[in-house]
Amino acid sequence: MSITVLGFDFGLNRTGVAVGNTLTGLATPETVLYSQNHQPDWGSIERLIQLWRPQVLVVGMPRKLDGSDSSMQESILKFCRELEKRTKLPVQTANEQLSSREAEQLLKSARQAGRKRKIRKEEIDQLAAAIILENWMHDYAQQ
């Protein structure tokens, strides 16, 4: 069965968003949302949910390299609880260890292959969300 999934690389200032489908296992960077008054951009999140009609929402949960909790864990869990409450959709967390670094490396490789413009933080955030989502879908397919 194929389901549409929205993935979030949550940050206090910017949140990368990607959309994916479990049939293909592929995710596409969608956008970056900016926090407003220290709050996620709930209006834009709701518009994305109306546009894509996902069945599941996935939020990246970073861990330190030693496996312990990151300093962002409580903020991310708060975001997850509010996301589930507002959307009435299931919210799952996915390991996102080093996803931003992986995204940056992919973009640097593209630059070396002829990409002209400078890599923006927003591009890293969106691509990190796609990486998180693809990793989650890979695990989902194994179930």
Side-chain angles (χ1 to χ4, degrees), residues 6 14-15 19 22 24 30 42 46 52 60 65-67 82 86 97 99 108 112-113 118-119 122 139-141:
L6 275 183
R14 291 181 318 273
T15 297
V19 63
T22 58
T24 64
E30 176 63 22
W42 294 112
E46 289 166 11
W52 290 104
L65 291 178
D66 66 6
E82 188 67 18
R86 286 173 178 259
Q97 194 170 26
S99 62
K108 283 181 180 178
Q112 290 169 352
K118 184 180 176 216
I119 297 169
E122 291 82 358
D139 292 344
Y140 176 85

Side-chain angles (χ1 to χ4, degrees), residues 1-124:
M1 183 174 96
S2 169
I3 63 171
T4 300
V5 186
L6 275 183
F8 298 87
D9 181 25
F10 176 80
L12 297 175
N13 298 314
R14 291 181 318 273
T15 297
V17 183
V19 63
N21 183 288
T22 58
L23 182 64
T24 64
L26 299 175
T28 304
E30 176 63 22
T31 192
V32 170
L33 305 176
Y34 295 90
S35 297
Q36 302 165 347
N37 300 319
H38 307 290
Q39 289 293 314
D41 183 354
W42 294 112
S44 292
I45 290 170
E46 289 166 11
R47 284 187 289 281
L48 286 167
I49 288 170
Q50 288 173 1
L51 174 67
W52 290 104
R53 305 254 183 242
Q55 288 81 36
V56 177
L57 306 175
V58 175
V59 180
M61 179 63 76
R63 297 249 183 246
K64 293 180 182 176
L65 291 178
D66 66 6
S68 62
D69 297 341
S70 85
S71 59
M72 285 291 294
Q73 181 170 356
E74 196 49 49
S75 296
I76 292 170
L77 289 173
K78 181 180 176 187
F79 173 72
C80 290
R81 287 189 297 269
E82 188 67 18
L83 190 59
E84 194 166 55
K85 179 179 157 191
R86 286 173 178 259
T87 65
K88 310 285 191 267
L89 291 169
V91 176
Q92 297 190 15
T93 59
N95 180 13
E96 70 150 295
Q97 194 170 26
L98 303 176
S99 62
S100 292
R101 189 170 300 159
E102 183 180 344
E104 187 173 9
Q105 290 304 316
L106 286 169
L107 290 168
K108 283 181 180 178
S109 295
R111 187 177 179 139
Q112 290 169 352
R115 176 191 164 108
K116 302 287 187 237
R117 62 188 169 94
K118 184 180 176 216
I119 297 169
R120 297 177 5 255
K121 290 179 182 176
E122 291 82 358
E123 291 175 293
I124 294 170

